Amino acid sequence: MGAGYFSAENADLTTIFRGQVVAVHPDGIWRASAVDDTRNAVGLMSEDTPVGGRNNVVTDEVFTMPDWTLVIGKQNLDVGEIYFLDTVSGKMTITPPGIPGQVAQQIGRAISSIALDIECEEAILL
């Protein structure tokens, strides 16, 4: 792993799975969500991490996974598509949220069916 990561404790109420989108929490990290402006994305969880466990958050690299089902609802990324923070905690979507009060935030671009170039952009409160 290169310089685009930091170590943090899972302060969420459930396991954060590899590849899920995370946000900074006062006590560590939790799953990011487009319905909560306090849960803006900072990166992807590097490994499955139980509550209270510590692992790396990948913030600025190409992140590869053979199965993205727990993050996007299907196995493969859509090559070339930009992925945004979803309204479902920890997930990504190719359709940005559009309802006032939600957050539109780019997470990255799929460079292959298994690889996402992470680029968490500034969150925009709609």
Side-chain angles (χ1 to χ4, degrees):
M1 207 175 280
Y5 71 94
F6 66 93
S7 179
E9 183 176 321
N10 177 359
D12 209 320
L13 301 175
T14 186
T15 296
I16 300 174
F17 295 103
R18 176 175 166 77
Q20 285 192 311
V21 186
V22 296
V24 174
H25 177 279
D27 298 322
I29 48 115
W30 54 4
R31 292 168 297 151
S33 173
V35 296
D36 185 345
D37 193 33
T38 68
R39 290 185 180 222
N40 297 329
V42 295
L44 305 182
M45 199 73 228
S46 66
E47 299 296 334
D48 294 354
T49 308
V51 176
R54 178 173 285 276
N55 237 316
N56 289 328
V57 174
V58 183
T59 60
D60 186 24
E61 294 184 4
V62 173
F63 190 89
T64 304
M65 255 185 359
D67 187 347
W68 287 86
T69 304
L70 292 176
V71 182
I72 64 169
K74 63 181 188 172
Q75 182 174 349
N76 293 317
L77 298 167
D78 293 322
V79 180
E81 289 287 349
I82 294 173
Y83 281 83
F84 297 89
L85 182 59
D86 199 341
T87 56
V88 178
S89 294
K91 301 213 179 216
M92 297 185 307
T93 179
I94 59 173
T95 306
I99 297 173
Q102 293 182 343
V103 174
Q105 185 180 18
Q106 177 180 320
I107 305 303
R109 181 182 300 270
I111 58 173
S112 77
S113 63
I114 62 167
L116 183 80
D117 185 7
I118 301 171
E119 295 178 16
C120 290
E121 299 290 335
E122 184 176 337
I124 299 169
L125 181 61
L126 302 175

